[in-house]
Amino acid sequence: MNTENLRSFLEVAAHGSFTIAAHRLNLAQSTVSARIRGLEEQLGRKLFVRDSDGVTLTPAGRQFLPHASTITRTWEQSRQDIAVPDGYETLLRLTAPAYLWDSITSPWISWMRAKRPNVALRLEGSFPDLAIEQMAEGLLDICILHLPKPHPGIVYETLAVDQVVLVQHAAQVGAWTENYILMDWGLEFRVEHDRAFAGRVKPAISAGLVFIGLQHVLSQRAAAYLPLSAVSAHIERGELRRVGDAPAFQRPIYLAYPENPASSDALDIALTGLRTLARNLSNDQAFAESDRAFSMAGAAAS
């Protein structure tokens, strides 16, 4: 469907006049009329009726109006999303969980600026399912996520393994089970979780985003299973503490990218940077775990 036809339709509908629409679009009135006729032929419905007061929408035109507006906005957003800024050779678009900003996303930006300064970067925020659909449509280049959704033409690889640990607010009163938010880490986690806490935990609240879970724990003095990389700074500041006898779980972080990218060289450099940074993240977590185990062993010995 021609978006210029849709734009003409929206202008006529907004002003009730072919003349005003033509003036606003800087077109001849006959061109606007031809566009509307073309749109009506495509849809098989009359969209406007002319009367003494000007031009009004038919019932079909009124029904089509919100769709035309949505299609036009989506098209304009898509054009902006894939546009390469002046002075750059290509554009790479990445989406990643917000909690990985300090450990992966921000260092990756520095990596790309040093390795490929002629590549523009666009950082997106979206839900994983939507991100994969955008990638399949060519509107996204890289996605970091926890729960992969198989899709033709999309490659998945394990980027890192995140430690998911049980933390509670330092000022939480009573048992952590009394104010607990269940994070959705997938079916495997739920099975392991239920096996570890059979009958002990009956959460009334659940969440699918780390940011939401962390903010709930901090604001409501609650407890949750959250990535160690997301809570370590809060633990160091004394805002949160780990529940000592609770098991830690391993959750893979996946890297998704197109099987046949538009700019393979730039994507290869970007993926290399992410893999390097993810190895550093895994090493840091391993060190933190060994240091904690050493501290606990020392405390037990004393």
Side-chain angles (χ1 to χ4, degrees):
M1 185 170 288
N2 191 323
T3 56
E4 295 303 322
N5 291 357
L6 294 178
R7 203 181 311 277
S8 295
F9 165 76
L10 291 172
E11 287 291 343
V12 174
H15 302 285
S17 168
F18 279 79
T19 302
I20 295 174
H23 177 72
R24 289 179 57 83
L25 294 169
N26 196 26
L27 296 171
Q29 184 173 332
S30 58
T31 301
V32 173
S33 298
R35 288 179 174 180
I36 299 302
R37 283 197 302 273
L39 191 58
E40 289 176 332
E41 290 173 2
Q42 282 185 295
L43 296 171
R45 296 287 189 276
K46 292 289 291 182
L47 299 174
F48 293 105
V49 292
R50 291 181 172 86
D51 53 34
S52 57
D53 295 327
V55 180
T56 57
L57 287 164
T58 64
R62 289 194 297 272
Q63 188 173 8
F64 181 63
L65 184 61
H67 298 291
S69 180
T70 299
I71 293 169
T72 303
R73 286 198 309 271
T74 302
W75 173 251
E76 288 301 324
Q77 183 62 52
S78 298
R79 289 180 59 189
Q80 294 177 23
D81 288 347
I82 66 174
V84 179
D86 292 339
Y88 293 91
E89 292 184 1
T90 189
L91 172 69
L92 278 181
R93 297 145 300 183
L94 173 141
T95 184
Y99 80 90
L100 291 176
W101 173 263
D102 289 335
S103 57
I104 291 183
T105 309
S106 182
W108 175 77
I109 294 172
S110 299
W111 169 284
M112 290 301 298
R113 302 310 324 127
K115 299 290 185 179
R116 285 293 186 274
N118 59 343
V119 174
L121 305 175
R122 182 180 178 89
L123 307 178
E124 304 282 2
S126 61
F127 289 93
D129 286 354
L130 177 59
I132 296 305
E133 293 299 329
Q134 290 175 329
M135 186 175 293
E137 295 170 5
L139 300 176
L140 191 65
D141 301 293
I142 304 170
C143 179
I144 300 175
L145 69 168
H146 279 282
L147 300 175
K149 178 184 178 182
H151 197 291
I154 304 298
V155 177
Y156 291 97
E157 65 177 73
T158 301
L159 180 64
V161 177
D162 221 344
Q163 289 272 1
V164 181
V165 299
L166 180 59
V167 294
Q168 64 179 153
H169 195 281
Q172 186 178 21
V173 177
W176 64 266
T177 53
E178 296 176 5
N179 189 6
Y180 176 70
I181 178 171
L182 177 65
M183 299 303 300
D184 184 7
W185 294 102
L187 178 59
E188 185 179 346
F189 169 77
R190 289 195 293 273
V191 171
E192 295 174 351
H193 181 278
D194 291 345
R195 185 182 299 122
F197 303 107
R200 290 177 55 198
V201 183
K202 298 179 180 179
I205 304 172
S206 62
L209 295 177
V210 171
F211 173 79
I212 294 176
L214 179 56
Q215 292 306 307
H216 179 82
V217 170
L218 291 172
S219 64
Q220 301 300 315
R221 298 184 176 184
Y225 263 100
L226 293 167
L228 184 60
S229 54
V231 299
S232 57
H234 297 279
I235 294 173
E236 291 173 6
R237 291 195 294 267
E239 299 167 343
L240 303 178
R241 61 172 176 262
R242 287 183 61 171
V243 177
D245 60 347
F249 299 106
Q250 307 289 324
R251 294 296 90 191
I253 303 174
Y254 293 96
L255 188 61
Y257 50 90
E259 188 175 20
N260 297 304
S263 179
S264 58
D265 176 67
L267 184 63
D268 287 344
I269 294 295
L271 295 177
T272 298
L274 289 169
R275 293 171 185 134
T276 301
L277 295 164
R279 282 196 297 271
N280 295 338
L281 173 64
S282 296
N283 291 338
D284 290 345
Q285 286 195 357
F287 176 79
E289 283 298 294
S290 62
D291 186 57
R292 177 174 182 268
F294 177 79
S295 299
M296 292 177 66
S302 61

